């Protein structure tokens, strides 16, 4: 796991994060505690319907390193950003937990439960956005119709069942998926398709087997010079997607760690603008027309990208 999940050494950032007054504490189905933070979009820039984006960061990162970028994302996408941490990263690592694929899935499940129960968001108000390793995490959630049941969990008053499988709670009803530098699977990044098929039990984050079950729009962004996760991974997933958003965003001059933030955020904003109003939203102005999508400006296209090493 130390090879597959290189946890960053951010002791000083973690100490600062613990003092953050906005820090939330979520609990997984295995009773692990993970930190999370909700970054609100400035009211003046919020898009009608007020969507919330669950952001799953890449490897060798944690939410303490993602806070500044998340604030930019909120301002530039017109949506709230919900950061959550993987089991075994950041504060969770200091608590003695170890990272794993299953732990990543339990973490995003905890984030989902928080938004649809505590924040009372409808699934159609939620977008999931993953970067690199995080794309495997969000696609796993988006491909499911329910969440693992928790012992003692009360039945949903709407469907009378447990496991978040009703229309009000199921991740199958989420609004959209955004994938940045996505991997088809761990094995397909390092080796090739035949090896991933021969040894599926040793492969992790097998997004190629899940993306076809996702019904909502999927927006894919990838740098054509990516030497960590080759762009073929993104193109293959794009071809497998049932509900593609536009033609994808393929950036000729970008690699894995220098994807231009402003351009990617604008692409996700286009995705947000293209979505129908969430079911819980009422238009305050019935005569208001549909917002117009605009291409990225020259200024935004020249903005710098991410500098921290990520995977």
């Amino acid at each position: 796991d130390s090879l597959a999940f290189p946890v960053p050494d951010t002791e000083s950032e973690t100490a600062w994060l613990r003092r953050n007054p906005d820090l939330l504490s979520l609990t997984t189905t295995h009773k692990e505690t993970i930190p999370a933070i909700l970054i609100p979009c400035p009211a003046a820039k919020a898009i009608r319907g007020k969507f919330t984006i669950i952001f799953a960061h890449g490897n060798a990162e944690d939410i303490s390193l993602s806070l500044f970028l998340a604030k930019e994302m909120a301002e530039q996408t017109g949506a709230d950003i919900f950061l959550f941490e993987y089991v075994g990263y950041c504060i969770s690592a200091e608590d003695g937990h170890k990272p794993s694929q299953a732990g990543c899935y339990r973490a995003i499940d905890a984030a989902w439960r928080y938004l649809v129960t505590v924040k009372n968001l409808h699934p159609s108000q939620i977008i999931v956005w993953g970067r690199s390793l995080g794309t495997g995490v969000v696609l796993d959630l988006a491909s499911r119709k329910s969440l693992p049941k928790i012992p003692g969990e009360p039945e949903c008053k709407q469907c009378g069942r447990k496991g978040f499988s009703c229309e009000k709670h199921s991740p199958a009803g989420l609004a959209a998926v955004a994938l940045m530098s996505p991997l088809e699977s761990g094995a397909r990044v390092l080796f090739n398709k035949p090896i991933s098929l021969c040894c599926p039990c040793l492969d992790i984050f097998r997004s190629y087997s899940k993306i076809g079950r996702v019904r909502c729009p999927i927006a894919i962004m990838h740098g054509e010079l990516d030497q960590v996760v080759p762009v073929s991974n993104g193109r293959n997933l794009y071809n497998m997607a049932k509900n593609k958003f536009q033609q994808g965003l393929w950036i000729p001059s970008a690699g894995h760690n220098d994807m231009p933030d402003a351009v990617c955020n604008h692409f996700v904003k286009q995705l947000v603008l293209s979505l129908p109003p969430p079911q819980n939203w009422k238009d305050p102005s019935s005569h208001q027309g549909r917002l117009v999508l605009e291409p990225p400006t020259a200024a935004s296209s020249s903005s710098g990208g991410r500098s921290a090493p990520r995977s």
Side-chain angles (χ1 to χ4, degrees), residues 57-234:
H57 62 70
N59 225 341
E61 301 173 16
D62 62 30
I63 64 171
S64 70
L65 299 175
S66 304
L67 275 175
F68 177 76
L69 291 173
K71 292 178 181 179
E72 286 190 339
M73 290 161 61
E75 292 180 356
Q76 296 175 14
T77 64
D80 293 346
I81 306 296
F82 190 62
L83 296 177
F84 71 99
E85 193 53 271
Y86 304 138
V87 173
Y89 283 65
C90 191
I91 293 174
S92 178
E94 292 185 352
D95 291 342
H97 300 302
K98 302 297 182 183
S100 66
Q101 176 183 223
C104 291
Y105 295 157
R106 292 195 298 272
I108 197 170
D109 284 358
W112 180 267
R113 289 177 188 273
Y114 175 81
L115 290 181
V116 299
T117 57
V118 178
K119 302 300 290 184
N120 198 32
L121 296 185
H122 190 274
S124 62
Q125 292 177 274
I126 302 174
I127 299 166
V128 291
W129 179 358
R131 198 193 94 80
S132 193
L133 176 143
T135 62
V137 180
V138 302
L139 271 176
D140 180 78
L141 175 71
S143 69
R144 288 186 272 137
K145 295 181 179 180
S146 62
L147 272 60
K149 298 178 181 178
I150 299 177
E153 179 182 54
E155 293 183 350
C156 173
K157 294 180 180 179
Q158 178 168 331
C159 66
R161 293 182 292 175
K162 300 178 181 180
F164 285 58
S165 58
C166 68
E167 177 269 341
K168 185 179 179 181
H169 296 131
S170 171
L174 60 81
V177 174
L179 305 176
M180 186 177 182
S181 309
L183 54 154
E184 286 186 81
S185 76
R188 292 192 183 188
V189 169
L190 298 175
F191 304 108
N192 52 39
K193 181 176 179 179
I195 290 180
S196 71
L197 295 176
C198 290
C199 305
C201 61
L202 300 179
D203 200 1
I204 60 174
F205 299 113
R206 298 194 299 273
S207 293
Y208 65 84
S209 68
K210 302 173 183 178
I211 194 168
R213 299 199 296 268
V214 179
R215 299 178 301 180
C216 65
I218 299 178
I220 297 181
M221 305 159 270
H222 215 126
E224 296 185 353
L225 301 182
D226 195 328
Q227 296 184 359
V228 178
V229 180
V231 69
S232 58
N233 283 254

